[in-house]
Amino acid sequence: KKKHMINSALATGKYFELAPKTKALLCLSTNFIAGKMMLARALILGWHLDIVETKTNPLENISKNYDFSAMVPLQLHHSLGKINHIRKLIVGGGPVSETVLNEIKDIKTNVYATFGMTETVSHIAVKKLNHIKVNTNKNYFTVLPDIEILTDLNGCLVIDAPKISDKVIVTSDLVKMYSDNQFEWLG
């Protein structure tokens, strides 16, 4: 529903502190929810959005700097040479390899993994992939505002997010809860 997309966009803007006039780059296909949500965020939050061809290395011909973008892990891997053109980056659609995690740990860009699905209108939780304090425990996913999580009897994640879904979503994702808003994805 349109109201779910609006609420998802507002939650992302709030969590990442992305105000109107944010310079954003769309390099994902708008045939899928991740690309559609970049368009929705730009319209709802008043961003300046540049759109480039969806390809493996979307930053290949980029010289401008951006406040925010979203990529899949393969795009991140192939964009490392120019990733400093993006201030905050969310990565979804699959796990980021250990090789790429090692390559991004000291870069300027703040990189976050996302957890979500079409049913949740994009991501419902994020975790930092770089600039992580060495003396902290393992880095967990943290849910966005107005989202409640728990596990069912099988240890699967249950998402209660009335602003982005009309029903409670019971996933088949095994998780380990660490607080009422943090979890580790096990598979």
Side-chain angles (χ1 to χ4, degrees):
K1 293 182 178 178
K2 289 177 188 173
K3 70 179 181 177
H4 295 155
M5 294 178 79
I6 291 167
N7 290 332
S8 177
L10 292 170
T12 298
K14 181 178 180 179
Y15 186 89
F16 290 107
E17 299 175 346
L18 300 167
K21 299 186 181 177
T22 287
K23 293 181 299 257
L25 177 69
L26 171 57
C27 56
L28 297 171
S29 172
T30 56
N31 290 329
F32 301 98
I33 192 65
K36 286 177 177 28
M37 282 308 301
M38 283 297 291
L39 287 173
R41 290 178 195 121
L43 290 169
I44 294 160
L45 300 172
W47 293 354
H48 298 290
L49 185 69
D50 287 348
I51 302 170
V52 295
E53 180 184 356
T54 303
K55 60 183 185 176
T56 304
N57 184 355
L59 303 183
E60 184 175 29
N61 299 314
I62 296 294
S63 58
K64 187 175 171 181
N65 291 326
Y66 294 94
D67 299 309
F68 187 77
S69 188
M71 292 183 180
V72 296
L74 183 66
Q75 289 176 312
L76 171 59
H77 172 73
H78 288 281
S79 298
L80 290 172
K82 292 185 121 184
I83 203 69
N84 62 333
H85 285 277
I86 299 172
R87 191 167 57 89
K88 293 179 183 175
L89 176 70
I90 57 174
V91 182
V96 176
S97 72
E98 286 296 324
T99 302
V100 173
L101 288 174
N102 285 327
E103 292 180 32
I104 66 170
K105 67 181 177 182
D106 295 321
I107 64 171
K108 179 176 73 171
T109 304
N110 290 301
V111 184
Y112 300 82
T114 61
F115 182 90
M117 56 204 77
T118 302
E119 295 83 359
T120 60
V121 193
S122 190
H123 55 270
I124 56 103
V126 297
K127 74 174 180 176
K128 283 197 76 135
L129 293 181
N130 63 349
H131 306 288
I132 302 165
K133 295 177 183 166
V134 178
N135 295 330
T136 60
N137 291 333
K138 195 167 184 178
N139 189 29
Y140 306 119
F141 281 100
T142 301
V143 297
L144 273 60
D146 301 316
I147 295 172
E148 293 182 20
I149 56 171
L150 53 108
T151 56
D152 66 8
L153 295 175
N154 297 317
C156 293
L157 184 66
V158 178
I159 303 165
D160 185 10
K163 289 189 173 187
I164 60 170
S165 177
D166 289 334
K167 60 182 180 176
V168 173
I169 300 167
V170 180
T171 72
S172 58
D173 292 287
L174 290 174
V175 300
K176 182 173 181 182
M177 298 283 295
Y178 287 94
S179 72
D180 60 352
N181 70 341
Q182 288 189 313
F183 65 93
E184 177 183 6
W185 181 71
L186 302 175

